[in-house]
Amino acid sequence: MSEVSKGPAAPASATQLEVTEVRRGMFGAGDSGDTSGYGGLVRPVVMPGPSARPYGSWFDDVVDILGEVLADGGLAFDDAVEKVVVDLHGAATADAPQAELTLYVRREHLVPVCQALRDDQDLRFELSLGVSGVHFPYETGRELHAVYHLVSVTHGRRLRLETVAPDEDPHLPSTVSVYPTNDWHERETYDFFGIVFDGHPALTRIEMPDDWVGHPQRKDYPLGGIPVEYKGATIPPPDTRRSYS
Amino acid sequence: MSATASVPHATLPADDGLAATVRAFEAYGDGDWDDIAREAVGEERIVVNMGPQHPSTHGVLRLMLEIDGETVTEARAGIGYLHTGIEKNMEFRTWTQGTTFCTRMDYVAPFFQEAGFCLATERLLGITDDVPERASVIRVLMMELNRITSHLVCLGTGGNEMGATTVMTVGFTAREEILRLFEAVTGLRMNHAYIRPGGVAVDVPEGFTAQARDALENVRHYLGQLGDLMLANPIFKARLTDVGALNLAGCMALGITGPVLRSTGLPYDVRKAAPYCGYETYEFDVPTGTGADCYTRAVLRLEECYQSLRIVEQALARLDATAGAPVMVADRKIAWPAQLAVGADGQGNSLEHIKKIMGTSMEALIHHFKLVTEGFRVPAGQAWQTVEHPRGELGVHVVSDGGTRPYRAHFRDPSFNNLQAVSVMCEGGQVADVVVAVASLDPVLGGVDR
């Protein structure tokens, strides 16, 4: 599901779209007849795809140095990092403060990549600002994403690592050995998404009670809520209201 | 209801069928507390449960202390008692409604969540450079005033916990001056939802800068009083100096930012390191200390209040210079058309605007209705924005699927992260030092648990 443009007719140079989901219709209702005319609407959810070199700003330097450091440790850059994404966020060049660099790291190589990013003097991403999970239930085989936000105080740079795990095998290596601060953040991500961080010193729930069933921020977990009566009318709970897919 | 009974649901009624699957917790029974206490049986140590209702835990922080006499040999923090699912709820509202939710996370510093969320949303929309200058000035003004109120709460309650009630009353009196300013601008003393994607909800009222200058004079007076009461006070110094120490290496490992990090001497401040809202154009210093203890942190917080006053004065001058300029992006697909005004009921849209959309332009009415109920679409992708929160670096991670609601909104709350340092700061100290050490971290549990 991650690449729809793949086909015999597509040239090798064609951009691969990162489709995470395809939605049909509008208003979030699929259980009644289409009276709106929007029922035939098809909208793929396309995330930004891999960027081509040059990335601009200091991004090329960091990627190059990381490649060298990983190669010194016997790890090829392309094996560890599946793609590099630059989000310009409306800016003309990557020099703008809103431009962001994301490295998609294969999960088995996450810890060595973090170690290299933290320890090499030209990278020196010494401060981790934690982990956040994202659930893409329709991205088959890549349902669970964990995003790591790193800061280099030394060089004044910010970088994002993203790694994915399938729902059938929701395991990621723990980064606590490199960034001790990720301890609670990984517990939070486990609590809310059910991602198991292997090697974490004490992976228990942190926000929800210990005996809670389910992982509340997954997309298949209902929001909950009850209808509320207000001035004679009944307002449905938020997750059953009209939505614009 | 029975069709969904097997689905984990927060609001399902409990029935006998569920009873068998749910583990019972009783005060003397099988709970996790019992496990901890049982571990300690037969040894000369006591396990004390401090909180979640203890007044010095700033809300509902639970500390599990293992003590040997008066010495703390092990300290663990338990959180989650105030988890309200704000991040999950934000996935079911429009981007504009998101500010109404995230403002309630750290309720002592609401403007920082609003600003962080809106800046992240603006990144995704690609309108970072289109936000009007006056809107950024107002954001900076509100954030810096909010920084002062937050630090005043920290210093005031911290003093109160040590028995210095006067510190608390002076701190809260000063805070009241600024809360009146918030009320004048946003209509509310907290939970403002004032900063919106694209700008701010409404311009500051007429005569606001004069009112603010008067109030700030009083605030400066109270800050002087606080300094006189605390900084040279021998009891205060004895209680705080060399207590709750955490050095630079410890801070970096545990991801501690804000005044706690700066008390180790590293001048790391997001306003300088990665400026937003035009902070690079303001003149201010980042105070640092080298004591790495609770006393240094208290001094730094007081000093930061004075630096915030400096920024506020510059912002007020800019407000005077830009009077009448727009406070919302020009894009009519993002900015609400509403012209807010104070009506007979104390709030609402201006009468002229309602007359126009109801009487003369059906298209304007439809546009207004669609924009408010459906919201605007945000291009698919993700953005990360951090702002310098009074307690450290607040990070906002938003993911959009191209729809009208956030696909995911995550807040890296500094209090949540900083509480990891409780054990390092408290172990080996006295029980009474725990109160001081926790107060120097300044956790706000609304932000911790979200």
Side-chain angles (χ1 to χ4, degrees):
Chain A
M1 192 88 137
S2 66
E3 291 151 344
V4 283
S5 65
K6 218 180 232 173
S13 61
T15 313
Q16 301 291 312
L17 296 177
E18 307 289 323
V19 178
T20 59
E21 191 179 342
V22 177
R23 297 199 184 142
R24 290 167 199 286
M26 215 187 189
F27 309 125
D31 54 347
S32 60
D34 173 33
T35 54
S36 66
Y38 280 107
L41 202 67
V42 178
R43 187 175 76 84
V45 177
V46 184
M47 289 292 169
S51 304
R53 284 199 184 247
Y55 307 127
S57 192
W58 48 266
F59 296 170
D60 295 280
D61 287 346
V62 162
V63 172
D64 289 342
I65 297 167
L66 178 64
E68 286 165 26
V69 175
L70 290 179
D72 289 346
L75 182 59
F77 181 78
D78 290 335
D79 288 343
V81 179
E82 56 178 309
K83 64 181 173 187
V84 178
V85 177
V86 175
D87 292 303
L88 289 179
H89 293 314
T93 66
D95 291 312
Q98 64 260 43
E100 292 176 288
L101 175 67
T102 312
L103 303 180
Y104 283 74
V105 182
R106 289 196 176 84
R107 57 175 170 168
E108 56 270 31
H109 302 303
L110 179 64
V111 176
V113 168
C114 286
Q115 189 89 44
L117 285 171
R118 187 193 72 175
D119 290 346
D120 189 79
Q121 60 171 352
D122 295 323
L123 299 170
R124 199 67 90 206
F125 287 86
E126 64 274 81
L127 179 62
S128 168
L129 292 180
V131 186
S132 55
V134 191
H135 184 211
F136 293 97
Y138 300 101
E139 206 182 349
T140 313
R142 297 166 61 87
E143 286 93 350
L144 295 164
H145 292 224
V147 187
Y148 300 77
H149 312 279
L150 306 180
V151 179
S152 168
V153 178
T154 310
H155 300 292
R157 294 167 176 168
R158 271 137 208 280
L159 172 75
R160 180 160 59 219
L161 300 181
E162 187 157 343
T163 183
V164 298
D167 230 351
E168 288 84 55
D169 179 34
H171 289 265
L172 290 176
S174 170
T175 53
V176 172
S177 58
V178 183
Y179 295 114
T181 177
N182 284 358
D183 181 346
W184 280 22
H185 297 278
E186 287 181 359
R187 280 178 65 190
E188 188 189 348
T189 311
Y190 160 71
D191 194 355
F192 288 149
F193 291 91
I195 300 176
V196 179
F197 291 91
D198 297 320
H200 189 284
L203 194 69
T204 52
R205 288 188 183 271
I206 188 163
E207 297 288 1
M208 307 304 289
D210 289 343
D211 54 348
W212 194 261
V213 181
H215 299 282
Q217 285 190 0
R218 292 170 57 97
K219 289 287 176 186
D220 49 14
Y221 190 99
L223 178 69
I226 52 167
V228 177
E229 199 181 304
Y230 182 68
K231 293 192 175 177
T234 304
I235 293 118
D239 55 348
T240 59
R241 288 178 204 160
R242 169 185 289 180
S243 66
Y244 300 85
S245 48
Chain B
M1 274 300 182
S2 60
T4 54
S6 60
V7 182
H9 202 283
T11 50
L12 277 185
D15 57 31
D16 290 343
L18 277 173
T21 63
V22 174
R23 234 174 111 198
F25 287 95
E26 291 171 54
Y28 50 87
D30 228 353
D32 57 344
W33 166 247
D34 210 51
D35 295 339
I36 297 169
R38 198 177 294 127
E39 274 175 34
V41 169
E43 292 171 46
E44 297 218 352
R45 52 181 191 152
I46 305 169
V47 183
V48 177
N49 205 12
M50 185 172 161
Q53 308 296 342
H54 195 278
S56 75
T57 55
H58 293 228
V60 284
L61 172 66
R62 179 185 177 201
L63 295 168
M64 288 156 272
L65 305 175
E66 192 182 290
I67 53 176
D68 184 0
E70 273 293 314
T71 308
V72 177
T73 52
E74 199 180 316
R76 295 183 227 177
I79 62 170
Y81 294 92
L82 205 56
H83 177 60
T84 43
I86 293 177
E87 290 176 0
K88 176 93 174 171
N89 262 294
M90 287 174 77
E91 295 170 13
F92 293 88
R93 321 283 164 147
T94 67
W95 291 86
T96 306
Q97 285 173 319
T99 59
T100 326
F101 278 79
C102 65
T103 189
R104 284 159 168 78
M105 291 179 170
D106 188 336
Y107 41 78
V108 179
F111 283 114
F112 294 91
Q113 281 92 243
E114 295 178 21
F117 175 72
C118 291
L119 287 165
T121 308
E122 285 155 11
R123 278 192 176 193
L124 278 179
L125 285 165
I127 58 166
T128 305
D129 300 328
D130 302 331
V131 176
E133 197 211 327
R134 189 172 167 86
S136 290
V137 172
I138 296 176
R139 285 177 179 184
V140 167
L141 176 77
M142 299 316 259
M143 281 195 280
E144 292 310 318
L145 287 173
N146 201 174
R147 191 181 313 279
I148 300 173
T149 63
S150 175
H151 283 341
L152 284 171
V153 170
C154 171
L155 296 171
T157 55
N160 189 42
E161 282 153 15
M162 290 182 295
T165 316
T166 319
V167 172
M168 191 264 285
T169 54
V170 172
F172 276 78
T173 313
R175 177 170 177 261
E176 197 61 32
E177 297 279 345
I178 298 176
L179 290 191
R180 279 192 207 113
L181 297 181
F182 288 164
E183 197 173 355
V185 176
T186 72
L188 295 162
R189 292 155 56 90
M190 62 190 295
N191 301 341
H192 310 277
Y194 174 67
I195 300 174
R196 305 275 174 88
V200 296
V202 64
D203 204 349
V204 296
E206 220 172 295
F208 171 72
T209 51
Q211 185 193 350
R213 287 196 177 94
D214 287 347
L216 292 181
E217 215 163 290
N218 297 338
V219 171
R220 198 177 283 277
H221 165 72
Y222 290 124
L223 283 175
Q225 278 192 345
L226 271 185
D228 292 346
L229 268 171
M230 298 195 298
L231 298 184
N233 184 325
I235 304 173
F236 187 85
K237 287 178 85 167
R239 285 295 304 274
L240 270 72
T241 309
D242 294 335
V243 169
L246 187 64
N247 65 9
L248 178 60
C251 281
M252 293 312 279
L254 291 172
I256 312 290
T257 45
V260 183
L261 174 61
R262 290 190 285 271
S263 75
T264 67
L266 184 73
Y268 177 68
D269 186 316
V270 189
R271 292 174 293 175
K272 294 281 190 194
Y276 49 93
C277 291
Y279 266 114
E280 66 275 17
T281 60
Y282 293 85
E283 231 176 80
F284 66 100
D285 299 323
V286 178
T288 57
T290 51
D293 59 358
C294 295
Y295 180 74
T296 314
R297 288 165 208 151
V299 176
L300 284 186
R301 288 204 169 92
L302 205 56
E303 187 54 43
E304 280 184 20
C305 288
Y306 285 110
Q307 294 298 330
S308 292
L309 283 177
R310 268 178 82 185
I311 302 174
V312 167
E313 276 156 17
Q314 297 168 51
L316 286 174
R318 292 185 195 188
L319 274 191
D320 284 334
T322 59
V327 293
M328 197 40 140
V329 285
D331 188 347
R332 286 298 174 198
K333 295 281 183 194
I334 294 169
W336 279 10
Q339 304 300 308
L340 294 174
V342 180
D345 59 348
Q347 58 184 358
N349 289 333
S350 78
L351 206 56
E352 297 90 85
H353 179 67
I354 295 172
K355 267 186 187 155
K356 185 185 158 225
I357 63 173
M358 298 301 285
T360 64
S361 173
M362 191 166 74
E363 289 75 19
L365 176 66
I366 294 170
H367 171 68
H368 191 153
F369 179 76
K370 286 289 278 179
L371 195 54
V372 173
T373 57
E374 178 177 345
F376 49 80
R377 287 182 184 275
V378 173
Q382 57 179 332
W384 167 255
Q385 170 77 46
T386 65
V387 295
E388 183 68 27
H389 191 281
R391 282 164 263 293
E393 188 162 2
L394 171 80
V396 184
H397 180 224
V398 289
V399 182
S400 174
D401 59 355
T404 59
R405 310 190 293 198
Y407 190 75
R408 166 97 169 106
H410 173 73
F411 284 69
R412 184 264 189 201
D413 188 87
S415 310
F416 172 82
N417 185 83
N418 291 3
L419 273 182
Q420 294 187 92
V422 162
S423 51
V424 190
M425 283 166 60
C426 296
E427 284 170 10
Q430 306 278 293
V431 178
D433 294 343
V434 172
V435 175
V436 177
V438 171
S440 83
L441 282 175
D442 189 20
V444 172
L445 275 292
V448 172
D449 292 340
R450 285 156 287 140

